[in-house]
Amino acid sequence: MGYKMKNTIAIGIQWGDEGKGKIVDLLAPQADVVARFQGGPNAGHTLIIGEKKTVLHHIPSGILHDHTLCLIGNGTVVDAAALHDEITLLQKAGVPVHERLRISDRCQLILPYHLALDAAREVARGNARIGTTGRGIGPCYEDKACRRGIRLCDLNAANLDERITNNLHYMNFILTGFLHAEPVKREEVEAALELARIHVLPLVADVAQLLHAQQKANACILFEGAQGTMLDIDHGTYPFVTSSNTVAGAALAGLGVGPNAADEILGIAKAYMTRVGAGPFPTELYNADGMEDAAGKHMAEVGHEFGSTTGRPRRTGWFDAMVTRHAVRINGITSLAITKLDVLDGLDEVKLCVGYRINGETIDTIPADAAVFDACEPIYETMAGWKASTFGATHMAQLPTAAQSFLRRIAVVCEAPIRMVSTGPDREHICHC
Ligand code: GDP
Ligand code: IMO
Ligand code: MG
């Protein structure tokens, strides 16, 4: 049975890289609009269609489909140079980006001093570094909250020169005086602004207005999240998080629509966990820093677990139902898409974390303090693995009984029904439940 789509918010409910790009691309033919509402080029969403791989950073994962209007909402942050590169690559592949994409005039611009600050802060943090993607995300959102950010609609403002002078004064004071880094030159900032004027301004629109017109016309809207709930600035593993709200609620403020804009909240999760960057990860088994485990290594190798944006190796571990159930609750998840089931093929046993133990006591909530969370020991349920291949399966009945039992258990412990199971990277590799 196919998945009949209503207005849907599709979000990651782990630490990012759950396969959002694949699922959104797969659902996009049923949508009139696909809209991004937060994050920026820290995101890397991979679409595999046959032999062709496309990695998107700013642009919604509906862009490969005819008749899909793609929107970048006010809640996102835009690096004009990175966006221009992304557009150029797509155009070279024959995608008419200018016909399909509109960007909110209220988006904040990532400027060279944001990139410099992101890098210098990570160096200054030493062993306590966040492991950011280095795309200037934190400093850009910081400027937005501080009300000194430059938006796309400010590019031709009369007071822009003065604002840039003030910003550079402040940023270079921090960079040189506090972080012992090189100052940013005014020419670099001017060049970034000019690039934005030439390549981004022609795509700018009042996106909230566009979306309201679509809603009036009864269009089907697919909201595409970036990152994942555990990277949310409020609900994630603070301070090891990104600088935006990644939860379903952010879709509303990040585009300018009301809470009644969505009928379905689809939570996307891998059949195991990964994390790229630092921070707590109770079920971690394997990482590039020397943590060894055969099942974790299997996940990393078979799942090709390398960051889509930075190429960094991802940390891997067992499915953590504590994390995903927390995400189900705070996002109001109505259904789940479980991805990368095929990666677990061949393991003798598979595990699910169903609780944590800390100082001899069992807890069933997510601690707010990252150090406490980090000290949690997972309580596992162990289930039989499966030797048969699930790769490319398109019907639940094709899955081995042990894989079906594993999925059923995930739905029970996460307190949400599974609507889709992804069994390979391609658009075609999907079972609808
Ligand atoms: P996103 O950021 O959530 O869009 O996820 P990424 O694109 O960063 O990472 C997911 C990776 O897993 C990509 O390389 C996808 O092509 C791949 N992928 C997605 N779904 C599946 C699946 O079901 N099986 C396998 N083997 N790979 C998948
Ligand atoms: P998608 O959309 C995985 C992580 C970084 C770091 C933290 C803060 O592809 O799932 P930032 O650069 O945002 O200040 O980094 O967040 N991070 C991601 N991890 N997938 C992503 O995006 C991520 N975007 C940011 O690794 O730990
Ligand atoms: Mg990604």
Side-chain angles (χ1 to χ4, degrees):
M1 191 174 62
Y3 178 85
K4 189 79 201 89
M5 201 170 69
K6 304 182 200 151
N7 295 317
T8 299
I9 302 177
I11 48 165
I13 58 169
Q14 295 165 326
W15 278 288
D17 303 326
E18 297 90 348
K20 297 175 291 293
K22 178 207 158 139
I23 299 294
V24 169
D25 165 68
L26 171 92
L27 294 175
Q30 296 185 54
D32 302 294
V33 181
V34 180
R36 275 277 305 270
F37 51 87
Q38 47 70 231
N42 48 349
H45 296 180
T46 314
L47 280 48
I48 307 273
I49 294 103
E51 299 291 294
K52 183 128 184 60
K53 174 172 167 173
T54 307
V55 183
L56 299 168
H57 302 286
H58 293 90
I59 298 181
S61 300
I63 195 76
L64 301 186
H65 297 275
D66 297 339
H67 315 300
T68 305
L69 174 63
C70 288
L71 300 177
I72 297 182
N74 56 276
T76 63
V77 289
V78 170
D79 180 326
L83 176 60
H84 175 52
D85 289 347
E86 210 175 320
I87 293 174
T88 308
L89 267 177
L90 284 166
Q91 282 175 330
K92 278 194 183 139
V95 181
V97 179
H98 279 247
E99 286 171 24
R100 295 183 192 165
L101 179 67
R102 292 294 173 268
I103 305 171
S104 169
D105 49 1
R106 288 154 171 88
C107 284
Q108 298 278 329
L109 272 171
I110 300 174
L111 291 170
Y113 45 74
H114 296 133
L115 298 167
L117 267 176
D118 196 359
R121 284 215 183 112
E122 284 288 89
V123 171
R125 282 189 192 109
N127 285 340
R129 68 185 169 276
I130 308 289
T132 72
T133 60
R135 298 299 187 267
I137 304 296
C140 185
Y141 275 114
E142 204 175 310
D143 276 7
K144 173 181 179 174
C146 259
R147 291 161 292 191
R148 58 168 176 255
I150 310 293
R151 299 171 303 166
L152 286 169
C153 58
D154 300 328
L155 278 169
N156 293 318
N159 65 355
L160 183 65
D161 273 0
E162 187 191 336
R163 287 164 64 185
I164 294 292
T165 302
N166 290 340
N167 284 0
L168 267 173
H169 216 80
Y170 176 74
M171 301 297 172
N172 282 337
F173 173 74
I174 310 253
L175 279 167
T176 57
F178 187 64
L179 295 167
H180 313 295
E182 290 297 311
V184 170
K185 295 190 185 71
R186 180 152 194 138
E187 303 88 84
E188 292 173 56
V189 180
E190 295 293 355
L193 294 170
E194 193 52 16
L195 200 133
R197 282 190 198 98
I198 297 170
H199 296 292
V200 185
L201 274 190
L203 294 169
V204 156
D206 183 338
V207 159
Q209 190 81 353
L210 275 181
L211 211 44
H212 296 156
Q214 292 285 334
Q215 285 177 314
K216 266 195 161 166
N218 246 336
C220 179
I221 300 161
L222 177 54
F223 302 87
E224 175 181 5
Q227 291 81 52
T229 296
M230 295 312 281
L231 289 170
D232 181 279
I233 191 157
D234 289 297
H235 300 284
T237 46
Y238 191 90
F240 301 98
V241 291
T242 191
S243 298
S244 64
N245 281 115
T246 61
V247 290
L252 315 176
L255 279 156
V257 291
N260 52 353
D263 311 295
E264 282 268 4
I265 321 284
L266 178 68
I268 305 169
K270 281 176 188 166
Y272 51 98
M273 310 293 279
T274 63
R275 176 162 203 167
V276 59
F281 182 177
T283 64
E284 182 170 18
L285 295 172
Y286 179 82
N287 62 42
D289 297 326
M291 193 180 211
E292 280 290 337
D293 175 90
K297 192 170 181 203
H298 171 105
M299 293 166 195
E301 289 181 356
V302 179
H304 304 292
E305 294 297 354
F306 293 93
S308 311
T309 295
T310 57
R312 291 178 291 175
R314 295 175 182 148
R315 303 153 65 190
T316 60
W318 292 120
F319 188 92
D320 189 340
M322 292 288 288
V323 158
T324 43
R325 191 180 55 198
H326 167 71
V328 164
R329 290 173 178 173
I330 62 176
N331 289 297
I333 298 291
T334 53
S335 60
L336 295 169
I338 302 296
T339 63
K340 303 191 92 161
L341 180 72
D342 55 294
V343 172
L344 300 183
D345 292 354
L347 293 174
D348 291 328
E349 54 185 29
V350 288
K351 294 189 187 187
L352 278 176
C353 167
V354 292
Y356 297 139
R357 201 171 290 119
I358 182 143
N359 301 326
E361 281 190 30
T362 303
I363 55 169
D364 73 348
T365 52
I366 302 288
D369 183 322
V372 177
F373 192 17
D374 202 32
C376 284
E377 257 178 73
I379 301 170
Y380 287 119
E381 277 182 18
T382 302
M383 301 179 71
W386 53 93
K387 294 290 172 192
S389 169
T390 65
F391 186 81
T394 50
H395 295 284
M396 291 300 283
Q398 289 172 292
L399 302 180
T401 323
Q404 292 189 29
S405 304
F406 180 61
L407 292 167
R408 267 199 302 275
R409 191 67 193 138
I410 285 182
V412 170
V413 288
C414 294
E415 300 172 351
I418 297 176
R419 285 286 149 77
M420 271 177 275
V421 178
S422 173
T423 54
D426 199 277
R427 214 185 245 174
E428 310 292 328
H429 301 153
I430 195 83
C431 304
H432 294 282
C433 311

